[in-house]
Amino acid sequence: FPTRRSSDLLSPCASSLADLSELAADLRPLCSAELGIKYHEDGDLERSAWYLETSAKKNGGCGAGMLLYGLALRHGWVRLASCLVPVRAHLTNLSFQGCQINAELGFRYLQSAAEMVTLDLDKAAAAAGGRRATPAAQDGAKVSKNELMLALYEIGTSFRFGWGVTKDKKMVSLL
């Protein structure tokens, strides 16, 4: 996953949720991603962003967490006037709850999500060793393939609109 620079030490997500760190200590990254989704749906974007960040980083992170955290960073999912809106750059001086826009870091997390899922699929194929996979393994592979397709779509969208990366029509056509 993306390496941390000294400028990344202050999380782009709200940091007033330090009390959650004890609760998240025992959660697996995927559980944190599920909680991030739940809180996003409930409109608690500060807590959602915190759990998605935890999911993307804890114990190497998980692909789903990296994907969702990358999207949160790219769009700056926030709450303004009791509605959920992506806030574009010209509004970033407003007071808000959630996650500040950092499209470049978001793009790196989207890339990391695709890489992690690809590695997971490779490991699963190697573990099967040419044998037919169990139904549970087949379901896991299907979920991973769907995560990979979504990550690649979002990476292509980033290239198309120049979100966190220079616009590149050729790269869009390759994805």
Side-chain angles (χ1 to χ4, degrees), residues 4 8 13 26 28 33 38 47-48 52 57 60-63 76-77 95 113-114 117 125 135 137 160 163 175:
R4 296 195 82 172
D8 295 334
C13 291
D26 295 330
R28 294 182 338 246
K38 178 207 176 299
R47 193 173 299 240
S48 171
L52 293 176
K57 295 178 179 179
C62 72
W77 289 338
S95 163
V117 173
R160 179 178 180 206
W163 291 336
L175 294 171

Side-chain angles (χ1 to χ4, degrees), residues 32-54:
S32 294
E34 291 167 355
L35 285 169
I37 293 167
K38 178 207 176 299
Y39 287 117
H40 183 85
E41 290 172 347
D42 292 346
D44 188 346
L45 298 178
E46 182 177 12
R47 193 173 299 240
S48 171
W50 189 89
Y51 275 110
L52 293 176
E53 180 180 17
T54 299

Side-chain angles (χ1 to χ4, degrees), residues 32-133:
S32 294
E34 291 167 355
L35 285 169
I37 293 167
K38 178 207 176 299
Y39 287 117
H40 183 85
E41 290 172 347
D42 292 346
D44 188 346
L45 298 178
E46 182 177 12
R47 193 173 299 240
S48 171
W50 189 89
Y51 275 110
L52 293 176
E53 180 180 17
T54 299
S55 176
K57 295 178 179 179
K58 184 177 179 183
N59 300 330
C62 72
M66 289 179 184
L67 175 67
L68 293 171
Y69 184 54
L71 292 173
L73 287 168
R74 182 174 81 185
H75 294 292
W77 289 338
V78 299
R79 174 186 287 278
L80 290 171
S82 299
C83 65
L84 302 180
V85 294
V87 177
R88 298 290 14 127
H90 65 282
L91 298 176
T92 57
N93 292 331
L94 295 175
S95 163
F96 60 87
Q97 168 191 350
C99 194
Q100 294 179 15
I101 293 174
N102 187 337
E104 293 81 15
L105 184 59
F107 181 77
R108 291 193 317 221
Y109 272 98
L110 293 174
Q111 285 180 308
S112 295
E115 290 170 10
M116 176 167 276
V117 173
T118 301
L119 290 173
D120 289 346
L121 287 169
D122 289 346
K123 287 178 189 175
R131 297 184 312 263
R132 183 174 172 86

Side-chain angles (χ1 to χ4, degrees), residues 19-35:
D19 58 320
L20 291 177
S21 61
E22 290 180 22
L23 295 173
D26 295 330
L27 291 176
R28 294 182 338 246
L30 187 56
C31 293
S32 294
E34 291 167 355
L35 285 169

